[in-house]
Amino acid sequence: MMRPGAESARSVLVLDSDVETPSLGLSDVRELPILALDFSPRSTGDPDHWERRLGVRPTELVVVTSETRDPDAVGADTVEQVTAPSDLTGLGMLATKHLGRWDDSADGPTPLVVLDSLTILFQYADLQAIFRFLHALTTRLANSNAHGVFFLDPMTQSGKTVHTLASLFDAIAERTDNGEWDVRVR
């Protein structure tokens, strides 16, 4: 469970190799539009998958991936494709497009951006490029009515890299030795 004040965090970096997510602090919201920037081979656009993983059900599910996926086959409302996970400019443009569309409908619920996973992006881009991309995206989240959850397996990166990325996020979530979530709001 997130500590008091964590609900104001617009962006959360989840440091874990597991697929479970700590409580997002989105109060009573059970349904949200979700923009899934999804490069994980184990992921799916299935709304039930996202509800189990995030604790919220997508009212609209937009999946951005580098693979060709049929929206009906993955349970998504829309599937957008970038040329490769390294196409951070294209990824940012598609995220901005959908966040802008949801911003225009101010009476709707807060959208949630999920990037699964930063670990995979590091196979295609270097720290500097990923840092610039995340800086732009987290700034966009802070300036709109949106939240973001970003996954990184900390065992795949150096402590310096994790620390550098962590500076971009409002909160950092990681498991303690007893398996509970520790969420630090910055």
Side-chain angles (χ1 to χ4, degrees), residues 39-84:
F39 300 105
S40 175
R42 68 178 178 220
S43 293
T44 175
D46 174 38
D48 292 332
H49 165 81
W50 293 108
E51 185 172 22
R52 285 188 307 274
R53 184 162 188 194
L54 301 170
V56 294
R57 184 160 190 81
T59 55
E60 178 182 357
L61 179 60
V62 177
V63 176
V64 178
T65 185
S66 59
E67 300 172 9
T68 302
R69 295 186 186 176
D70 176 20
D72 292 333
V74 296
D77 296 289
T78 305
V79 174
E80 300 261 12
Q81 191 172 356
V82 293
T83 56

Side-chain angles (χ1 to χ4, degrees), residues 17-178:
S17 58
D18 199 355
V19 296
E20 182 187 344
T21 303
S23 172
L24 300 174
L26 297 173
S27 56
D28 298 341
V29 177
R30 298 297 304 159
E31 295 185 337
L32 302 170
I34 293 178
L35 173 60
L37 309 176
D38 186 7
F39 300 105
S40 175
R42 68 178 178 220
S43 293
T44 175
D46 174 38
D48 292 332
H49 165 81
W50 293 108
E51 185 172 22
R52 285 188 307 274
R53 184 162 188 194
L54 301 170
V56 294
R57 184 160 190 81
T59 55
E60 178 182 357
L61 179 60
V62 177
V63 176
V64 178
T65 185
S66 59
E67 300 172 9
T68 302
R69 295 186 186 176
D70 176 20
D72 292 333
V74 296
D77 296 289
T78 305
V79 174
E80 300 261 12
Q81 191 172 356
V82 293
T83 56
S86 61
D87 183 8
L88 300 178
T89 300
L91 192 57
M93 290 172 55
L94 289 172
T96 296
K97 169 183 147 182
H98 290 286
L99 287 171
R101 182 172 58 82
W102 288 324
D103 279 348
D104 291 342
S105 63
D107 58 339
T110 302
L112 179 63
V113 175
V114 181
L115 197 154
D116 189 6
S117 85
L118 289 169
T119 305
I120 292 172
L121 286 187
F122 272 106
Q123 296 173 17
Y124 297 91
D126 64 16
L127 175 60
Q128 186 177 16
I130 292 172
F131 185 90
R132 283 192 312 263
F133 165 72
L134 291 174
H135 182 267
L137 186 54
T138 56
T139 299
R140 177 69 171 95
L141 292 173
N143 293 325
S144 69
N145 184 32
H147 289 273
V149 178
F150 301 78
F151 293 90
L152 175 66
D153 181 348
M155 301 306 289
T156 65
Q157 303 301 318
S158 71
K160 182 179 178 181
T161 297
V162 172
H163 180 74
T164 298
L165 290 180
S167 69
L168 294 169
F169 297 91
D170 298 328
I172 310 301
E174 59 187 324
R175 287 192 196 271
T176 61
D177 291 338
N178 66 2

